[in-house]
Amino acid sequence: GNSVTQMEGPVTLSEEAFLTINCTYTATGYPSLFWYVQYPGEGLQLLLKATKADDKGSNKGFEATYRKETTSFHLEKGSVQVSDSAVYFCALRPNNNDMRFGAGTRLTVKP
Amino acid sequence: DAEITQSPRHKITETGRQVTLACHQTWNHNNMFWYRQDLGHGLRLIHYSYGVHDTNKGEVSDGYSVSRSNTEDLPLTLESAASSQTSVYFCASSESNRGNTEAFFGQGTRLTVV
């Protein structure tokens, strides 16, 4: 079946630290991969996506590369800010199918 | 601007009561989804619809039902609310079921069953 595994949180970093949130997936075929972000009290918002192997999605300083050989889509940011504190979800979506999410990783960035 | 709205934002109900959560989108999207969000489980798919009069079960559909009578709305009904259904519920929509199509989410409904 299709599933996503994310590193467990919570993750606490100091401002300007480097961020990595690991995400691996299991899927039949070649899904598209997504990172969503959820700020407190809000719904999920798309952060970035990649639709095929070796694609790199990027937005707001965040990046993730679709690695087919390691079935991974790790989220990275070189210098986090307090405003990046949120819950981050990795997700996959195969063609003609619904979207499946990981358990989410809570990030707290301290000044 | 097109949007997706859920109502109510918060609801407290008693065990055994029927509850309906509303979801309305103005994107004119064919695909609509209901998820529940629980600590440690992330988002789990309850039901989804690929168009008017189409409904499908997700991974945690027991005790829930949906109906799709028009493009804009996908109400979620809890037939007889149970404490295990206390959760935050999110509705989402997407333009198509192609894999590269993102989903847009509502703000969520926090449901408490007492």
Side-chain angles (χ1 to χ4, degrees), chain B residues 20-82:
Chain B
T20 297
L21 309 183
C23 175
H24 178 83
Q25 53 97 3
T26 59
W27 296 95
N28 201 35
H29 287 165
N30 284 324
N31 293 195
M32 295 185 73
F33 310 88
W34 274 104
Y35 293 89
R36 59 177 289 175
Q37 182 180 24
D38 304 287
L39 267 177
H41 292 280
L43 275 76
R44 291 181 291 175
L45 184 65
I46 305 172
H47 280 286
Y48 59 102
S49 168
Y50 286 156
V52 177
H53 302 310
D54 176 73
T55 61
N56 305 280
K57 294 182 178 180
E59 55 186 318
V60 290
S61 61
D62 286 350
Y64 303 94
S65 64
V66 293
S67 62
R68 187 91 180 270
S69 59
N70 59 50
T71 300
E72 295 80 17
D73 298 289
L74 187 71
L76 177 72
T77 298
L78 286 68
E79 291 134 15
S80 176

Side-chain angles (χ1 to χ4, degrees), chain B residues 78-93:
Chain B
L78 286 68
E79 291 134 15
S80 176
S83 57
S84 59
Q85 294 176 309
T86 292
S87 186
V88 180
Y89 291 85
F90 286 99
C91 181
S93 72

Side-chain angles (χ1 to χ4, degrees), chain A residues 1-4 25-29 31 92-94 97-98 100-101, chain B residues 59:
Chain A
N2 301 314
S3 66
V4 175
Y25 68 90
T26 302
T28 52
L92 66 81
R93 188 172 192 189
N97 219 317
D98 54 84
R100 296 297 173 108
F101 290 83
Chain B
E59 55 186 318

Side-chain angles (χ1 to χ4, degrees), chain A residues 64-78:
Chain A
T65 301
Y66 190 161
R67 302 283 188 202
K68 183 181 164 193
E69 62 276 12
T70 55
T71 61
S72 65
F73 193 55
H74 304 321
L75 183 68
E76 297 181 335
K77 186 175 185 182

